[in-house]
Amino acid sequence: MTTEELTINIEKALEEIRPFLNSDGGDISLVSIEDGKHVKVKLEGACTSCSVNQMTMRAGVETTIKKFAPQIETVVNIL
């Protein structure tokens, strides 16, 4: 899979997640993909101060990204 295809798949995953985050006043954006295995995202809006955002990262964001791009090993939220 090319970097471009990987980026498109990750963006598709974020589009699937976004409505749930938007409903709570938050959002998410793709920051970078490193070595084709590691993704950095940025939780925005209400998600930055939410006490459950680490749980959201693991349960929702990481799982959905890996569904669209199984080769991804880690998903990290940058501040």
Side-chain angles (χ1 to χ4, degrees):
M1 182 178 291
T2 67
T3 302
E4 186 177 334
E5 291 170 325
L6 184 57
T7 302
I8 289 168
N9 282 355
I10 292 170
E11 287 292 351
K12 286 179 186 174
L14 297 183
E15 285 301 316
E16 187 171 294
I17 298 161
R18 196 164 274 125
F20 300 102
L21 299 176
N22 290 163
S23 69
D24 289 329
D27 205 352
I28 191 167
S29 59
L30 176 62
V31 175
S32 67
I33 304 167
E34 297 174 3
D35 302 324
K37 299 178 192 169
H38 309 285
V39 175
K40 289 185 179 177
V41 296
K42 182 168 181 155
L43 289 169
E44 301 167 343
C47 293
T48 58
S49 61
C50 177
S51 61
V52 296
N53 70 7
Q54 287 308 312
M55 188 173 68
T56 300
M57 277 296 297
R58 294 282 173 254
V61 177
E62 188 170 329
T63 302
T64 304
I65 287 175
K66 287 180 177 181
K67 180 174 80 173
F68 281 82
Q71 68 272 42
I72 297 302
E73 294 176 4
T74 61
V75 179
V76 178
N77 177 41
I78 64 161
L79 302 175

